[in-house]
Structures are given as structure tokens and as C-alpha cells.
Amino acid sequence: MMRLKSFYPITVKLLQDNKNLVLDVFKKLNPHKGGFIGVCELKGCFSWENVGETFDSLKIGEALWAVKNESAKSMQPLEVIKNDGTVLGFIPYGESVLPNMLIKRGVRVICYVEAKEFNGGMPAVAISIYSEDY
């Protein structure tokens, strides 16, 4: 049996290449408080206003907030923002379904920065998703 501990902290490449292994790592190690929902690559990072500054400001393990885009229709992908209000991107639709339902019921959803890297000059950020109350 593989030692899952050796795969944490994860990399963006590991998430892209072997998502099931990454899910097993998080389920086994449970590195953050709250109910684990999933792990994914943040989408929309290409739209950052100041890519270098925003990328450098992200710290591994930093808590982020998943919020509904108030102007969007229901069940849209959730935006991920920093404590200072900077929008970092959004959770892909498939990963947003359960967090959307929880937020609709008043449960806060927290994301954590797990990995970051530049892929072909574009920033890539891996996040884990947790429910605060469950």
C-alpha cells in the first residue's frame, strides 16, 4: 500500500494527472478542519488583473471563501475570494453542486490553497473545499 502521507502537500500536476489519488490523500489525512467536500483546480485565474502580485500573495494553506455570484443564475459555479475581497476564480461546475446547496442552506464553504504553479505562463491553483459546519 502506498504511503499517502508522502503525497501531501499535493502539486497541481498531481491533481491534473491523478485526481483519485489526491482525493484518497485528503480523505485519509484530513489536513484541515471541517467536512471535506473535494479538491479541484481553480478556474478563471487567467483573468487576474495583476498576475504576478496575486500569485505571490497566495500562501499554501491560506483559507479562502466560496461565495455565490449574486448576479448569476442559481447553481452557477461558485466564486473563490480572498479575505481582502480579491476574486481568484471559480470552482468548476461539477465541483460546485454540493457547495452551492450548502451555501443555499446557510452553511459556509471554505477553500484552502493547496498548490500553485505557472503552467505555460498561466497561473494554476489547486484548492481543497470544506464545509465549515459538517
Side-chain angles (χ1 to χ4, degrees):
M1 176 164 205
M2 286 186 289
R3 292 186 47 102
L4 294 177
K5 209 174 209 180
S6 65
F7 291 103
Y8 190 81
I10 65 166
T11 63
V12 174
K13 178 111 174 86
L14 178 63
L15 177 61
Q16 292 169 341
D17 292 346
N18 200 338
K19 185 169 183 171
N20 289 332
L21 173 64
V22 172
L23 288 171
D24 289 343
V25 167
F26 278 88
K27 289 175 188 172
K28 175 75 174 171
L29 299 180
N30 200 19
H32 305 286
K33 291 183 179 183
F36 175 69
I37 296 172
V39 61
C40 64
E41 185 176 343
L42 196 60
K43 301 297 179 192
C45 296
F46 62 86
S47 64
W48 293 348
E49 203 166 297
N50 188 334
V51 175
E53 186 177 303
T54 303
F55 185 84
D56 290 342
S57 74
L58 291 175
K59 305 294 179 229
I60 303 301
E62 178 180 358
L64 309 169
W65 299 102
V67 297
K68 288 183 77 159
N69 181 341
E70 296 304 324
S71 64
K73 300 174 190 165
S74 64
M75 297 306 282
Q76 291 295 311
L78 297 171
E79 288 184 335
V80 176
I81 61 171
K82 292 181 65 150
N83 282 334
D84 66 4
T86 303
V87 177
L88 297 175
F90 60 92
I91 300 171
Y93 180 78
E95 303 285 340
S96 288
V97 175
L98 179 58
N100 248 317
M101 292 183 342
L102 291 170
I103 289 173
K104 199 173 194 178
R105 288 176 173 81
V107 177
R108 291 198 300 182
V109 175
I110 302 169
C111 303
Y112 294 93
V113 177
E114 298 295 344
K116 63 180 188 171
E117 61 186 47
F118 275 105
N119 289 328
M122 300 298 287
V125 179
I127 60 167
S128 58
I129 308 166
Y130 285 81
S131 164
E132 187 174 65
D133 298 315
Y134 293 100

